[in-house]
Amino acid sequence: MTRSAPRRRLATVALVVDDYDRAKAFYCDVLGFECLADSSLEGDKRWLVVAPKGAAGAALLLARADGEAQTQAIGNQTGGRVGFFLETDDFARDHATFLANGVQFLEEPRREVYGTVAVFADLYGNRWDLIEPAP
């Protein structure tokens, strides 16, 4: 009998933020994500999960910094590299919407072999690629 390979997927990625409501407003109101969960935990912590509307991929757990080390990591969780990749089916639409919503792009859109892409910063300075994959 052949054993099947384990089925796994990356479900949630923690993103350290300074304030739950401020982060939720940015990701939901500015980027158009949906709030999948917002539950109170012990103390004043919350389980706050957001993801692009209709997405089947990983979601973000917006985790408020706890302590000096986590506070220092806000906006620099990947050492200044692009650490998050938001795929879209319409780059021009989302680029225009993000600009209208005040999102700061760090470069002009460019075409690469893998698709159309531009780097933007979230409200903390984390770098994201907005990318429409090549067909």
Side-chain angles (χ1 to χ4, degrees), residues 9 11-15 17 19-21 23-24 28 34-51 58-64:
R9 68 183 181 98
T12 309
V13 175
L15 181 68
V17 301
D19 179 83
Y20 292 117
D21 293 325
K24 182 179 179 181
C28 293
E34 63 183 320
C35 182
L36 302 179
D38 189 353
S39 304
S40 295
L41 300 175
E42 64 183 60
D44 60 352
K45 293 186 178 186
R46 286 161 57 183
W47 182 258
L48 177 54
V49 180
V50 300
L60 288 177
L61 170 66
L62 302 177
R64 192 184 66 213

Side-chain angles (χ1 to χ4, degrees), residues 4-119:
S4 61
R7 294 177 53 193
R8 299 180 183 144
R9 68 183 181 98
L10 186 59
T12 309
V13 175
L15 181 68
V16 181
V17 301
D18 67 346
D19 179 83
Y20 292 117
D21 293 325
R22 185 170 117 107
K24 182 179 179 181
F26 177 80
Y27 285 98
C28 293
D29 299 340
V30 175
L31 296 186
F33 285 24
E34 63 183 320
C35 182
L36 302 179
D38 189 353
S39 304
S40 295
L41 300 175
E42 64 183 60
D44 60 352
K45 293 186 178 186
R46 286 161 57 183
W47 182 258
L48 177 54
V49 180
V50 300
K53 288 183 181 171
L60 288 177
L61 170 66
L62 302 177
R64 192 184 66 213
D66 185 10
E68 186 59 30
Q70 290 180 21
T71 299
Q72 288 181 2
I74 294 172
N76 193 27
Q77 293 188 155
T78 59
R81 291 186 58 100
V82 171
F84 306 94
F85 302 82
L86 181 59
E87 288 189 357
T88 178
D89 63 347
D90 188 333
F91 181 91
R93 175 199 65 215
D94 289 341
H95 184 258
T97 298
F98 287 6
L99 285 172
N101 288 345
V103 172
Q104 177 191 10
F105 278 85
L106 306 177
E107 64 181 20
E108 292 298 315
R110 66 185 194 282
R111 295 202 189 278
E112 299 288 351
V113 295
Y114 53 84
T116 303
V117 64
V119 176

